Amino acid sequence: MENSTQTEPKANKIIPKGEPVIIIEHLYKSFGKNVVLKDFNLTVKAEENVVVLGKSGAGKSVLIKCIIGLLKPDKGKILVFGNNIPELSADELDKVRTKIGFLFQANALYDSMTVRENLEFPLRRHWIGLKQKEIDKMVLEALDNVGLKNTVDMLPVELSGGMLKRIALARTLILKPEIILYDEPTTGLDPVTAREIDNLILKLQKKYHTSSIVISHDMNCVKSIADRVVLLLDGVCYTEGTYDELAQSKDEKINQFFES
Amino acid sequence: MALIEDIRDFLDETGSITKFTGNFFTNGLKPRFEVKELLAQCYSIGYKSLPLIGLTNFIMGLVLTMQLRPSLLKYGVESQLPVMVGIAIVREIGPVIAALIFAGKIASSIGAELGSMKVTEQIDAMEVSGTNPYKYLVATRVLATTLMLPILTILGDAISLIGAYIGVNINSVTSLNLFFAQVFQSLTFSDLLPAIIKTFFFGFAVGMVGCYKGFNSIKGTRGVGISANSAVVLSSVIIFFIDLLAVQFTNVFGLN
């Protein structure tokens, strides 16, 4: 980790649009006898939003946790900017993680810290030389991005579900990641707030030119966010295409997701 | 079958705790050190435990003196009360009572705190943001408990002796100077040193068990309660085992 720290934030290196940033090849992951992913393949290109669709327990969250290195796959390659995640040392993994943001389903904000401290935490870990003035500026910019500048000194427990999601998004974006992994970003939110979060994700993606993998069951979210939809069924990438292509499919297994 | 399963679970858990503890030495003590978090933990674990440990040790000193008096009176050695109480407090009662109170307060709070962080994915969030959660959460807390318990024990012993002085003065009149002169004349380094050294191990066990239980918390919020509870139970049992070993060691090295 100590090697991954920098003295100042580096400018976002723009990878040419269309170049692959994540390549997953022949990925296998099981928990005991339960095989969750078997020979899963996926490529995500720069500035592309890929939505992974699948039933509950299909292994969608497992997939993105393997990408960020929280889970170790049994077999297969996960290349992120050319680095094979399962083979990286802890220090190397931390370096790659500075380029990846992860929005947790339950937000995972540190509940004993204020919003400011939550946002400062990753900054202080990675950019040790930053002065307080610069940190304050970055925190306020991140909060401004999500429209919640006024919550800076509040505790997570004082905020609503939608606000928590926005703050979690601000924390995810504060290190200016090039890839963002969203784990069901609109689950548990009312439809209006869910649409606001969708729009925010799109707005911030355009602003920071990020690539993303979004795990979602929310078809409105899928429709508004996805450049490409990947259907994860029985541990494999069953099909992929644009939202409209999949929505018009005659395949029953695909249809069941679009009928509702 | 159930017995075999229980034995297997016990061995699994033992292996798992050993691995977790080993990680403290191989990973937790490497730079970069989380000094700010360590100091924050020393404050909340050490300073904030002092009133409770002080109060319990004070009462223990007072009660012990009152309980010992009739027996000593029976044999006509009432004048040896400060000596008896002093040795009992410094060698055994002070460290063990402080450690048990410490386990009840700290192991449960660490277990519950880390357990709830685990079930709400806050530990994963820490890892994702490039922070080694073992170093940030575990190493700092274990170091804080290891360093703070000996200090709390020394302070607790002193408060306990004040309780004992008050206990002595309930039925007779003894000056403070005479009481402490009698206590310290009877004490040697071989009484004090092993008693303090074992508290480092008590503190280490309390921190490690609390962190282990919290870090391995499962089954949601119910699991947090189980973690907190089992952290107290296990660390209390370990404290008695360490105490038993410490007595054996002091006997072997002739420090008794």
Side-chain angles (χ1 to χ4, degrees), chain B residues 70-84:
Chain B
S71 303
L72 295 184
L73 200 60
K74 203 168 143 189
Y75 296 104
V77 284
E78 194 194 354
S79 60
Q80 294 300 303
L81 192 54
V83 175
M84 284 285 289

Side-chain angles (χ1 to χ4, degrees), chain A residues 1-2 65 97 110 125-126, chain B residues 31 34 121 126 129-131:
Chain A
M1 183 187 68
E2 46 275 14
K65 283 184 178 174
R97 278 173 173 163
Y110 309 123
R125 314 303 302 170
H126 286 288
Chain B
E34 304 285 355
E121 295 181 309
M126 203 167 266
S129 68
T131 301

Side-chain angles (χ1 to χ4, degrees), chain B residues 54-114:
Chain B
L55 178 70
T56 48
N57 277 31
F58 175 81
I59 294 170
M60 195 46 66
L62 183 64
V63 170
L64 186 69
T65 311
M66 291 163 74
Q67 297 274 28
L68 271 174
R69 177 187 291 279
S71 303
L72 295 184
L73 200 60
K74 203 168 143 189
Y75 296 104
V77 284
E78 194 194 354
S79 60
Q80 294 300 303
L81 192 54
V83 175
M84 284 285 289
V85 171
I87 289 176
I89 286 172
V90 170
R91 288 183 76 141
E92 186 63 24
I93 307 284
V96 172
I97 292 294
L100 290 175
I101 297 294
F102 194 69
K105 185 177 187 293
I106 301 302
S108 61
S109 92
I110 291 177
E113 184 191 7
L114 298 195

Side-chain angles (χ1 to χ4, degrees), chain B residues 29-55:
Chain B
L29 295 177
K30 276 185 190 166
R32 134 181 162 225
F33 299 111
E34 304 285 355
V35 179
K36 203 176 162 194
E37 179 64 10
L38 173 64
L39 293 176
Q41 289 304 323
C42 284
Y43 174 77
S44 74
I45 285 172
Y47 179 72
K48 290 194 170 178
S49 300
L50 182 59
L52 184 63
I53 288 178
L55 178 70

Side-chain angles (χ1 to χ4, degrees), chain B residues 102-170:
Chain B
F102 194 69
K105 185 177 187 293
I106 301 302
S108 61
S109 92
I110 291 177
E113 184 191 7
L114 298 195
S116 78
M117 285 183 80
K118 171 84 177 172
V119 299
T120 55
E121 295 181 309
Q122 289 177 52
I123 292 178
D124 285 346
M126 203 167 266
E127 199 173 340
V128 163
S129 68
T131 301
N132 182 334
Y134 193 93
K135 277 167 78 169
Y136 189 82
L137 297 171
V138 178
T140 53
R141 280 159 179 76
V142 173
L143 275 176
T145 54
T146 309
L147 297 174
M148 288 299 104
L149 185 57
I151 296 171
L152 287 169
T153 303
I154 292 168
L155 294 171
D157 284 356
I159 294 168
S160 196
L161 287 173
I162 292 169
Y165 167 72
I166 293 169
V168 167
N169 274 276
I170 288 175

Side-chain angles (χ1 to χ4, degrees), chain B residues 87 90-91 186-197 246 250-251 253-256:
Chain B
I87 289 176
V90 170
R91 288 183 76 141
S186 64
L187 287 174
T188 61
F189 268 112
S190 64
D191 294 315
L192 191 65
L193 216 56
I196 296 304
I197 288 172
T250 47
N251 279 339
F253 290 108
L255 292 170
N256 271 341

